[in-house]
Structures are given as C-alpha cells and as structure tokens.
Amino acid sequence: MSDFNDVYKVFSVTEKKEFASFLRKRNRRGDTKNLELLRLLGSGQTKDLDIALYGKPAKGALHALSKRLMDTLVDFVASNSFADETSLELEAMKFLLASRIFFEQKLYRIAFKTIRKAEAKALETDNYAILNEIHHTKIQYAHLNQEWVLTKLIAASERNHQLLVQDMQLNMVYAKIKLELRQNPTASVSAIISDAFSEFQLEITEGLTYKSLYQLMEITATSAKLQRDFYTVSPFMRTLFAKVKQKGEVTEKYMYYYLNIAYLMAATDFRNKAFETSKVQVGYIEQVLGDSKKHLQDVFGGKITRLKALNEAYTGNIQKAIALLSNTTDTSLNNKLLLVMCFFLNEEYQKAYRLLNTLKHTDDWYLKKMDWPWVLKKNSIEILLLIELDKLDLVLNRMQRFSRRFGKLLKDVGEQRVLIFMGLVKEYYDRPMAVTSEVFMEKVEHSFDWIGREQEDIFVMSFFAWLKAKMEKRKLYEVTLELVSLST
C-alpha cells in the first residue's frame, strides 16, 4: 500500500472527504470493505490490515481489495484533474474537437468561429502540437471559407511544423543532458549541453523560446547545485541570460518563464558571491511581481524572499535576514532550514535547534521531498548545533549516521572534503583545547585542496567558518563575512 499512502497523504482534508464520497458512489454492495480499509490507512495503520478487516488472516483478499482501492484512487485523481482543468492547452483542445464536430455536421459558421478560438488559445502557449492539428483542420476545410487563402494556410502550417520538430528535438536534447548528468554527476555541465546540441544539430540562440532557454538554465543551475560549483557554469549562465535579453521586451505571455530565468540568474550571482548584482536582479523581480497577477506572486514570492534574505545575511545584515524569514507566510522546508542557518550564523543556537527539531521526518522522507544537498546541509547544521549545545550522546550518534548516510555519496561526487571536515569537527569535539594549537591549524591547512575564494562554494565556506572561528576564538558571523567577502 506504499503507492496509495504516498498519494493519499498529500491530499487536503477536503480532497480526502471527496475521495471517500467518490468511493461510496462507486460501491454497488453494502458490504464493500474499501471504506473501512481507507479509514484504517488514514489513521496510520499499516500492519495486520487483513485481520482488522476480516477477523482472520486473509492476505489474498487484502491484496485484491488494496488493488481495487488503488485503481479507484487513480480514477479519482484523473477525474478531478479533468473536471478542474482550465488550462489554455485543454481549452484549445476542447475548441478544436468541437470545431471538427461542427464541420462534420456542416455547421460551418460556428465551426469557423470555434476553430479561431482554438488557434488563439494554442498560440498563447506556443503549443505547436495542437497548432499542427488546427492547421491540418483549416487546410482540410479551406475550400469552405473565402477568407482563408490556401497558400497562406500551407505556409503557416509549414512554419509551425518546423517549430514542432525543433520542440521535439529540444525535448530529446533535454532528455540526453539529464541522462548524461545522471550517469556522470561530476562531468562538465556546459560541455554536456554543448555536445547534446551538436548531436541534434541545434544552436543556442535568441531564437529559442523562453521555455527552452529556461529549461537550459534550470538544468545547468540544478547540476551546479549538486556539484557545488556555480563558478564554472557562471559564464554559460550569463550567455544564456544574454540570449534572453536579446529577445527584447517580455510580454505577459512569457512572464512566468522570464521570471524563472531572472531568478536563476540572481541565485547564480549569489552563489558566486556577487551580492550586489544579485540584489539588483531581486529588486527587478520584486518590482515585476508587484504589478503582476496574484498567481505569479504566489509562485515566486517565497523564493524571492529567501534569496533576498540570503543576500542580506552575507552582506552584514543578519538581523534583517532573520526578520524577512520570520515574518513571511512561507512555511516551506527551504524557508525553515534557511532560518535555522541564519540563527546558527548569529550564534542563536537554542533558537536554531528548536526550529530544526520541528523537522521531524526521516532523511529518506526529506530526500523524496527535497534533494540530497538539502538533507546534507540539515544533517551538518544539526551536528554543529549539538556540539554547541554539548549534547554528547546525540553528537556521536549523528556523526556515525552522517558517515553511513553520506560517505559513499560524497566520494562518488568528489566531495571527500566534507568527510574530512566532519573528521576535524569530531577532533575538535573530542579535544576542544587543541583546536587553537599550531599543530591543529597546520593539519587543517594540509587537509583541504583550497580552490580560492572566488571559486569556493559559499555554503561550504560557511561551514568552514565555524571551524575557523573556533581556531581563532572569534565570532562566527564575523569570520563568515570575512571569508565570503571578495574584497579582503
């Protein structure tokens, strides 16, 4: 029942009630036990379900009942999605199908009017596949409309077909890029993207759609995050951003993709410690959001607040960062962990630990919801907080768990230095007085391959700042700002 539970637990209270009602309507017999099984699963019971339902072991009957319940859940989700769907894509498809029915019934006036609506909706989303079907239908019935010029319809169809083929090729490119990065997680992102485009004989130009350019930037940024290397990809990200700028003024139709692109560029600037440049981009996004529809504010509001707080935290305004994160309506996991980090940097360890303790799920659960760098960061901060709060038993337990959970993964992605860092942290905890000795400082100096302040990942530097602060008996936040400042 794991698949069922994975889906059912993300339902809202209203959706759960609607699903129960959906089940009742489907039941033909009064003795059907699917509602009772739903009640048991909803209460969290997962063991001995057959005994609870039938009063005796009945694994076969439980399996059959569970399968039927899962099939009904899929039907419910599908039915609801179609019932609630109001997207332009579905509207375009509905108008197209309706127009074809009207053409077949020789209701030509309403057919022409309806297919115009279908084309307008499809054009709003650059849906070349639906437009392809619309062009075919218009060409098929062109002889019935004096206003339609067949040669123009054919030319428009051929132009759209070229765009459809390009869209299909780009989809293949993205699939290849993702596969290559999955198989070679430490490979050069820009090299993989360049090779993939060459293979499919495509070029990265301003002629690509906003969606395509966004997808390229998103793939690049995600890979940089996993590799902790925004420095290497920065020139490529700037090239892509320049292509976006060359497209000219952005209309409302493409604003969603453009804001995503602008956010990714601002986040890349932050990760490369170009804080002022990032702040300017964030300010621009905030200005656009102020004039935008509510759904865009809902999508980007939380992300922009977090990025704004990060820029403030790393430019000396930690209290402002904490205020931003504390006063937002954003209750996301990202917001919580970032606030924990800000409390930690400000040496408010009790506050940080209390907030961290609200994240009660297992690492496996968080890995499904977030990604492994997020879980790594959570575990790392937890260990340092436990040391600061001198919780001996928990420190040793978490360090052993950290090694088991992340040891192989970090070696596979070439991040052994995280394990080295944790070894030094343990050495500090075992012998805190030794951390200020020349012997320990020399050991630290020779333990890492220092790659320079500009290139080093900002969050890696933040964790090292804690150790450096211990070695030099200084304030953590002061050392952090010193490390990330490119002017010193």
Side-chain angles (χ1 to χ4, degrees), residues 129-195:
I130 294 178
L131 283 167
N132 193 52
E133 294 299 318
I134 290 170
H135 287 305
H136 284 185
T137 304
K138 289 178 72 174
I139 289 170
Q140 180 181 352
Y141 293 102
H143 63 285
L144 298 173
N145 191 329
Q146 294 182 351
E147 295 180 2
W148 289 355
V149 180
L150 183 59
T151 54
K152 290 184 178 180
L153 292 179
I154 292 172
S157 177
E158 289 174 344
R159 284 195 302 273
N160 182 74
H161 186 259
Q162 290 173 350
L163 292 170
L164 176 61
V165 170
Q166 184 188 69
D167 205 42
M168 292 171 64
Q169 287 178 316
L170 284 169
N171 193 43
M172 296 174 195
V173 167
Y174 302 140
K176 183 173 180 61
I177 291 169
K178 289 176 181 176
L179 180 63
E180 288 288 334
L181 288 170
R182 184 177 181 181
Q183 294 175 339
N184 305 289
T186 60
S188 165
V189 184
S190 52
I192 287 176
I193 291 175
S194 178
D195 290 344

Side-chain angles (χ1 to χ4, degrees), residues 344-360:
F344 175 76
L345 288 175
N346 206 39
E347 298 185 23
E348 296 181 70
Y349 300 127
Q350 287 288 359
K351 283 186 179 179
Y353 189 60
R354 281 198 298 271
L355 181 56
L356 189 68
N357 272 344
T358 65
L359 304 174
K360 295 182 179 298

Side-chain angles (χ1 to χ4, degrees), residues 5-230:
N5 286 328
D6 286 344
V7 177
Y8 189 69
K9 69 186 177 185
V10 300
F11 277 11
S12 66
V13 174
T14 301
E15 287 171 327
K16 288 177 179 178
K17 289 179 180 178
E18 289 175 351
F19 179 59
S21 177
F22 187 79
L23 269 180
R24 289 190 193 94
K25 291 177 182 177
R26 286 285 188 95
N27 289 343
R28 293 191 176 91
R29 303 196 321 264
D31 62 344
T32 303
K33 293 188 178 294
N34 51 18
L35 282 165
E36 179 63 14
L37 176 57
L38 178 65
R39 185 189 67 77
L40 291 170
L41 293 170
S43 68
Q45 184 170 339
T46 57
K47 294 182 179 179
D48 299 325
L49 291 169
D50 51 342
I51 295 173
L53 288 166
Y54 304 105
K56 60 182 180 180
K59 300 296 183 187
L62 175 62
H63 176 75
L65 180 64
S66 300
K67 184 180 183 304
R68 290 196 298 273
L69 184 63
M70 185 65 200
D71 289 343
T72 307
L73 181 70
V74 172
D75 289 344
F76 171 76
V77 172
S79 298
N80 269 19
S81 65
F82 277 109
D84 297 337
E85 182 62 69
T86 57
S87 69
L88 292 171
E89 180 178 332
L90 190 57
E91 286 183 36
M93 183 60 74
K94 286 177 179 177
F95 283 131
L96 171 60
L97 294 175
S99 72
R100 285 177 172 175
I101 291 171
F102 294 145
F103 276 123
E104 289 170 3
Q105 295 175 344
K106 298 183 179 180
L107 301 172
Y108 300 129
R109 187 177 65 83
I110 188 66
F112 296 140
K113 186 176 181 180
T114 306
I115 202 167
R116 279 199 301 272
K117 290 182 178 179
E119 188 170 14
K121 297 293 183 184
L123 284 169
E124 282 189 60
T125 55
D126 290 333
N127 195 310
Y128 307 122
I130 294 178
L131 283 167
N132 193 52
E133 294 299 318
I134 290 170
H135 287 305
H136 284 185
T137 304
K138 289 178 72 174
I139 289 170
Q140 180 181 352
Y141 293 102
H143 63 285
L144 298 173
N145 191 329
Q146 294 182 351
E147 295 180 2
W148 289 355
V149 180
L150 183 59
T151 54
K152 290 184 178 180
L153 292 179
I154 292 172
S157 177
E158 289 174 344
R159 284 195 302 273
N160 182 74
H161 186 259
Q162 290 173 350
L163 292 170
L164 176 61
V165 170
Q166 184 188 69
D167 205 42
M168 292 171 64
Q169 287 178 316
L170 284 169
N171 193 43
M172 296 174 195
V173 167
Y174 302 140
K176 183 173 180 61
I177 291 169
K178 289 176 181 176
L179 180 63
E180 288 288 334
L181 288 170
R182 184 177 181 181
Q183 294 175 339
N184 305 289
T186 60
S188 165
V189 184
S190 52
I192 287 176
I193 291 175
S194 178
D195 290 344
F197 268 76
S198 296
E199 180 179 336
F200 288 91
Q201 298 180 327
L202 291 171
E203 293 183 5
I204 301 174
T205 68
E206 67 275 11
L208 294 177
T209 64
Y210 282 98
K211 179 182 177 181
S212 298
L213 288 165
Y214 159 64
Q215 287 177 309
L216 282 176
M217 291 187 77
E218 195 270 338
I219 289 171
T220 305
T222 300
S223 301
K225 181 181 178 182
L226 293 174
Q227 295 178 2
R228 295 170 177 266
D229 184 8
F230 279 83

